[in-house]
Amino acid sequence: MTIRVWDYLKEYDAEREDILGAVDTVFGSGRLVFGPSVDGFEREFAAYHDVRHCVGVDNGTNAIKLGLEALGVGAGDEVITVSNTAAPTVVAIEGTGAVARFVDVRADDHLMDTTLVESAITERTRAIVPVHLYGQCVDMTAVGEIAARHGVRVLEDCAQAHGARRKGALAGAMGEAAAFSFYPTKVLGAYGDGGATITNDDDVARALRRLRYYGMEGRYYVVQTPGHNSRLDAVQAEILRRKLRRLDQYVTARREIARRYAEGLADTELALPLVTDGNEHVYYLYVVRHPRRDDILGGLAAEGIELNVSYRWPVHTMTGFAHLGYQAGDLPVTEKLADEIFSLPMYASLDKRRQDDVIAALRRILGAR
């Protein structure tokens, strides 16, 4: 039996009645676009984070892009972020007309090295996008202090951190705005694409609602350009609304899976995830390191275990971003991690038997007794 890094079918089997009930609720509501399901999800997701506003959009990329535009980012601006992230983070920045500027990450937890941020700020810097990678949070106290000193905006990229906390504060509630993806693999995943941007700022929320709907206020009257067609699908909103009630259960299950990996692989040569002091990790991904990464992946594939690398190519090394002017060696920690990291299967419905098979296969390949 093939074991994949992610699978949703067991979860769907357990939640099928609720998921199909969500579809029926929307189809029978008389409102297929926006409507009570979108309104309800926005209200409940905002309440979960104890913020005033949630604006649902069609995907996580646009949650970042529209969030930045609502914060005033545009052509000619610079936005500081990391290269050790999914490409959509940078695609969204570029979509505003701004330019991404990268700082390196820390070797221990793979998160933005906040000690490098201040020196990266220029007169063109408009915003910082810290990426809460793999399920734990960047030091937002440091980011916030730097942003305040220089008068720049902060948008958290929370695509991988639903439910994560730092010193008690939820990911998404520590910046001026925060962007979430509900891609199916996420800790809170839809059955298709979806995203949202949350904020406590009334003006930012008002701008977000215009931006996602052609720049309109009311019907057919455009008050702001650019505008977009970027609405959260009502079916996905209703599914997310129901799954949100189980988010804390998903996180608990992921933490137990992470505990079993840590116990089963503690005496191997793998570098296991480090949880930074003050962080409460939700383990969107369980990322390990080894200098013989590709050999290990080949050995696992031969045993029917198909894993993933997040991410094999740092954004600054991709040909599509060559115009940013970075060279190999500019971000040495990011580049070294990219050669060594890989992800073990991690999803809330992963059963113990499959996890044990992965652990046993890794121990055989690594020669651990």
Side-chain angles (χ1 to χ4, degrees):
M1 180 180 295
T2 299
I3 300 175
R4 296 183 174 87
V5 75
W6 177 78
D7 194 302
Y8 73 94
L9 291 174
K10 184 178 178 183
E11 179 184 284
Y12 176 62
D13 187 56
E15 300 181 359
R16 183 175 186 274
E17 184 175 345
D18 198 28
I19 299 304
L20 295 183
V23 177
D24 189 59
T25 292
V26 174
F27 285 4
S29 71
R31 288 289 304 274
L32 297 178
V33 178
F34 289 141
S37 291
V38 174
D39 292 344
F41 173 71
E42 290 179 338
R43 182 174 60 252
E44 290 156 18
F45 196 68
Y48 180 89
H49 292 89
D50 195 24
V51 298
R52 286 202 296 274
H53 305 286
C54 169
V55 180
V57 296
D58 53 345
N59 56 63
T61 308
N62 280 335
I64 298 172
K65 180 177 183 287
L66 272 60
L68 288 172
E69 290 180 348
L71 290 171
V73 174
D77 293 331
E78 293 180 352
V79 177
I80 296 172
T81 191
V82 293
S83 181
N84 181 31
T85 184
T89 303
V90 185
V91 169
I93 291 169
E94 296 244 315
T96 68
V99 175
R101 292 299 178 210
F102 301 117
V103 296
D104 214 342
V105 297
R106 304 190 305 196
D108 53 4
D109 60 11
H110 309 183
L111 297 170
M112 173 182 275
D113 187 341
T114 57
T115 67
L116 303 175
V117 172
E118 195 147 28
S119 62
I121 291 176
T122 73
E123 61 182 15
R124 295 174 58 193
T125 302
R126 183 75 169 184
I128 304 169
V129 177
V131 179
H132 299 318
L133 196 71
Y134 302 152
Q136 67 173 330
C137 298
V138 173
D139 181 352
M140 290 300 297
T141 300
V143 171
E145 289 172 352
I146 293 166
R149 280 197 296 273
H150 294 272
V152 300
R153 315 303 294 268
V154 177
L155 182 139
E156 300 172 66
D157 181 345
C158 299
Q160 302 187 10
H162 308 75
R165 292 179 183 270
R166 178 166 178 79
K167 297 182 178 179
L170 273 167
M174 296 181 279
E176 294 175 86
F180 290 82
S181 168
F182 304 119
Y183 187 75
T185 62
K186 304 302 183 184
V187 179
L188 179 63
Y191 277 69
D193 269 321
T197 308
I198 65 174
T199 184
N200 270 316
D201 188 308
D202 296 343
D203 291 335
V204 171
R206 204 158 26 245
L208 281 164
R209 294 189 187 282
R210 289 194 299 264
L211 285 164
R212 73 167 175 184
Y213 190 52
Y214 310 108
M216 290 183 185
E217 283 186 358
R219 297 189 69 180
Y220 306 132
Y221 192 88
V222 174
V223 298
Q224 175 183 341
T225 58
H228 309 273
N229 178 9
S230 181
R231 297 170 291 210
L232 176 61
D233 179 78
V235 171
Q236 301 302 337
E238 184 63 33
I239 291 171
L240 288 165
R241 191 178 184 185
R242 295 166 184 234
K243 292 188 72 176
L244 177 61
R245 300 164 193 158
R246 298 187 284 272
L247 175 55
D248 292 341
Q249 298 172 34
Y250 300 149
V251 170
T252 297
R254 286 171 177 268
R255 286 177 175 154
E256 173 58 16
I257 293 165
R259 186 198 66 77
R260 297 186 79 246
Y261 275 136
E263 182 179 274
L265 298 169
D267 61 343
T268 70
E269 299 171 351
L270 290 174
L272 303 180
L274 171 79
V275 181
T276 304
D277 285 347
N279 276 349
E280 298 175 38
H281 208 311
V282 296
Y283 296 100
Y284 166 60
L285 298 175
Y286 192 88
V287 177
V288 299
R289 292 177 61 187
H290 196 284
R292 293 191 295 107
R293 187 263 314 279
D294 291 342
D295 291 339
I296 293 169
L297 289 179
L300 291 170
E303 298 197 30
I305 301 170
E306 299 177 358
L307 301 187
N308 191 34
V309 178
S310 298
Y311 300 94
R312 187 181 291 272
W313 299 281
V315 175
H316 73 283
T317 69
M318 297 179 184
T319 57
F321 298 103
H323 60 279
L324 296 176
Y326 288 87
Q327 306 295 323
D330 285 346
L331 302 171
V333 178
T334 295
E335 292 165 29
K336 182 173 176 56
L337 289 175
D339 290 336
E340 298 183 354
I341 55 176
F342 62 103
S343 303
L344 305 188
M346 174 56 77
Y347 46 97
S349 59
L350 177 65
D351 62 61
K352 291 181 179 179
R353 181 178 60 82
R354 290 192 175 191
Q355 186 180 12
D356 287 343
D357 288 344
V358 173
I359 292 170
L362 275 166
R363 293 184 67 86
R364 284 194 300 274
I365 291 168
L366 294 167
R369 295 184 181 275

